[in-house]
Amino acid sequence: MDKIKIYVGKQRKNSEVMGPVESDPEYRLIVAANNLTVEIENELNIIHKFTRDKYSKRFPELESLVPTSLDYVRTVKELGNNLDKCKNNENLQQILTNATIMVVSVTASTTQGTMLGDDELKKLEEACDMALELNQSKHQIYEYVESRMSFIAPNVSIIVGASTAAKIMGIAGGLTNLAKMPACNLMLLGAQRRTLSGFSSTSLLPHTGYIYHCDVVQSLPPDLRRKAARLVASKCTLAARVDSFHESGVGKVGYDLKEEIERKFDKWQEPPPVKTVKPLPAPLDGQRKKRGGRRYRKMKERLGLTEIRKHANRMTFAEIEDDAYQEDLGFSLGQLGKSGSGRVRQAQVNEATKARISKSLQRTLQKQSMTYGGKSTVRDRSSGISSSVAFTPLQGLEIVNPQAAEKKVAEANQKYFSNTSEFVKVKKE
């Protein structure tokens, strides 16, 4: 501490350092001071454990209410044997929050602890004074190291701050060892283990060191802090290697790296782009041909709903329907076959939906149904009771030869279309 007081008043420049920085006496003092802060932390943990074990006899619930070691030591020193000091105590309000003080005071009124002896109380007070003195010395060392970090490691200090840079350099064992360390190990420097005595294990995060708790990382949302800690650790490794070779003494590399870190932080926190609803692109293939025209329209009319189906689907108001089948209840014929349907005219038959037959079949049926004076069993395939006797309104009863008309047609064809016939109206000279 005396050497630190000597160097505090002296401000040195980077140009004064010749050769490797490890050979400089002030650098050796800074490394020794960093190692001393680690030992002070261990001593504080031991004192906290001792104070907690002794004071649990008087107030066992205080350990769970005040998890921080330094706040616990200060609270023990302030309370002592008299737990009524929790109420309206200004000194305690500077240590704990109002909500914690209220919980401590309520718990103290119902605690089952016993009074401490004078010797035990005296040892507790000595331990608390020792812890507070060590904590004050630790802060003095940190202030000195932070003031000299711009002289030893300016680029690292720009990225994470002088305090965090001093802590990671002290744990690493110097700037050279810090430069040799990979980024994945640099991120874990200062990580507190769960088995660390005197600390509550509920408030500790695994794999988080000084880099994770620095101001640059803590300014981000909790879900981005681990990712940010990895990025900052990788840039700190590059900056430490620059500092170990005394390059960029003014911190230009540190400013560039910090600007890159902040640019990536801003990129991570940007809101996602607004999803625009785009219209479907034009199809690559041509437009398909749709069926239409008279043929398609006639087919739709032919397959449409017929009048019979329309009547079967129509119901008469306020009338009980008769089921068409006993085994299929609920199926009725609607208004089919009912006289009181309310229509004046008979339903017209739609020609479009009527059954169709081809024209050739129509000609065949017409030819078969042709009669020349009557039908006969000779030509027609009808029953045997058919006769060639025809009744006419003029002659009355008349017997007609059914083959007479065909014979007349055959003679005309023979006369006009025969291969041996001559011109009829051409006169011979």
Side-chain angles (χ1 to χ4, degrees):
M1 295 298 295
D2 295 335
K3 291 182 179 180
I4 290 176
K5 292 179 181 178
I6 294 173
Y7 280 103
V8 164
K10 297 180 180 180
Q11 293 294 334
R12 302 177 63 190
K13 298 181 180 179
N14 295 334
S15 58
E16 298 179 11
V17 181
M18 302 299 294
V21 71
E22 285 79 4
S23 61
D24 188 75
E26 188 174 5
Y27 175 79
R28 293 177 182 176
L29 177 62
I30 292 172
V31 173
N34 278 326
N35 297 333
L36 184 60
T37 56
V38 177
E39 295 178 5
I40 290 175
E41 287 284 350
N42 295 333
E43 290 293 331
L44 287 174
N45 293 333
I46 294 171
I47 294 174
H48 173 249
K49 187 175 183 301
F50 170 79
T51 309
R52 184 190 59 191
D53 294 341
K54 294 295 182 182
Y55 200 69
S56 61
K57 180 181 176 182
R58 180 69 185 94
F59 194 2
E61 295 87 2
L62 185 63
E63 178 191 357
S64 60
L65 300 178
V66 186
T68 310
S69 60
L70 197 59
D71 293 343
Y72 183 86
V73 170
R74 289 173 177 170
T75 307
V76 169
K77 183 183 178 182
E78 186 65 30
L79 295 179
N81 262 336
N82 187 10
L83 298 183
D84 294 335
K85 291 182 179 180
C86 296
K87 302 173 183 178
N88 300 326
N89 192 332
E90 295 181 358
N91 295 331
L92 198 61
Q93 290 178 358
Q94 297 176 0
I95 301 171
L96 305 175
T97 60
N98 292 331
T100 308
I101 292 174
M102 183 177 65
V103 175
V104 169
S105 61
V106 172
T107 310
S109 61
T110 59
T111 184
Q112 301 295 327
T114 59
M115 299 293 289
L116 296 174
D118 294 338
D119 295 339
E120 292 177 338
L121 189 60
K122 186 177 181 181
K123 289 181 180 179
L124 274 175
E125 291 178 354
E126 291 179 357
C128 293
D129 292 338
M130 187 184 301
L132 295 177
E133 185 179 354
L134 287 174
N135 184 62
Q136 186 178 2
S137 300
K138 183 182 71 172
H139 282 293
Q140 290 178 358
I141 294 173
Y142 277 153
E143 289 175 1
Y144 166 70
V145 174
E146 289 173 15
S147 65
R148 291 297 184 268
M149 284 310 296
S150 59
F151 160 68
I152 297 175
N155 296 288
V156 179
S157 302
I158 289 171
I159 296 176
V160 293
S163 176
T164 307
K167 292 176 183 177
I168 60 176
M169 193 180 73
I171 293 181
L175 187 59
T176 305
N177 292 337
L178 185 66
K180 295 178 181 178
M181 190 175 294
C184 57
N185 294 348
L186 178 63
M187 186 178 65
L188 300 179
L189 291 179
Q192 296 177 351
R193 298 180 181 178
R194 288 189 177 273
T195 57
L196 196 61
S197 61
F199 284 100
S200 175
S201 60
T202 57
S203 61
L204 299 180
L205 295 171
H207 308 293
T208 55
Y210 291 133
I211 297 290
Y212 183 85
H213 295 286
C214 68
D215 296 336
V216 182
V217 178
Q218 291 298 315
S219 62
L220 293 178
D223 55 336
L224 294 175
R225 287 176 185 172
R226 288 188 179 274
K227 185 178 180 181
R230 291 193 291 268
L231 176 63
V232 173
S234 63
K235 301 305 178 185
C236 283
T237 304
L238 299 177
R241 292 167 185 173
V242 173
D243 290 333
S244 65
F245 287 96
H246 308 293
E247 299 289 338
S248 181
V250 295
K252 182 178 181 303
V253 175
Y255 284 117
D256 293 342
L257 293 175
K258 188 174 183 180
E259 185 180 353
E260 182 181 353
I261 291 171
E262 292 175 350
R263 189 165 56 249
K264 289 188 177 181
F265 285 177
D266 294 339
K267 183 69 175 176
W268 294 346
Q269 297 181 82
E270 283 182 359
V274 180
K275 191 174 182 180
T276 57
V277 180
K278 296 182 180 180
L280 293 175
L284 299 177
D285 51 350
Q287 191 175 6
R288 296 181 179 180
K289 184 179 179 182
K290 295 180 180 180
R291 291 299 305 270
R294 189 174 64 86
R295 287 176 57 192
Y296 188 70
R297 189 166 59 250
K298 294 291 184 182
M299 184 191 71
K300 287 184 67 175
E301 291 176 357
R302 189 167 64 250
L303 300 178
L305 198 65
T306 61
E307 290 294 329
I308 295 177
R309 292 281 303 278
K310 288 180 181 179
H311 279 277
N313 294 336
R314 190 172 291 128
M315 297 176 62
T316 308
F317 179 71
E319 184 177 342
I320 300 176
E321 297 286 339
D322 295 331
D323 293 331
Y325 308 106
Q326 291 295 328
E327 66 272 7
D328 191 7
L329 298 179
F331 179 79
S332 64
L333 297 179
Q335 292 186 354
L336 282 179
K338 292 185 178 180
S339 59
S341 61
R343 279 178 171 270
V344 179
R345 296 181 179 180
Q346 190 178 2
Q348 298 293 326
V349 178
N350 190 1
E351 294 292 335
T353 57
K354 197 169 63 174
R356 301 290 184 88
I357 58 175
S358 62
K359 292 182 179 180
S360 60
L361 181 59
Q362 287 180 358
R363 287 195 298 269
T364 305
L365 293 176
Q366 265 184 351
K367 192 173 181 181
Q368 290 181 358
S369 62
M370 286 176 62
T371 57
Y372 303 98
K375 288 189 176 183
S376 172
T377 57
V378 178
R379 267 196 54 80
D380 199 5
R381 297 172 184 169
S382 56
S383 61
I385 60 175
S386 299
S387 175
S388 59
V389 180
F391 294 94
T392 63
L394 298 178
Q395 289 99 353
L397 184 63
E398 181 182 0
I399 298 176
V400 181
N401 184 10
Q403 296 180 354
E406 294 183 1
K407 187 175 180 182
K408 187 177 180 179
V409 171
E411 289 176 357
N413 290 338
Q414 186 71 22
K415 181 178 180 180
Y416 291 102
F417 301 106
S418 174
N419 294 329
T420 57
S421 63
E422 298 177 353
F423 293 102
V424 179
K425 294 184 179 182
V426 178
K427 296 181 178 181
K428 296 180 180 180
E429 295 181 356

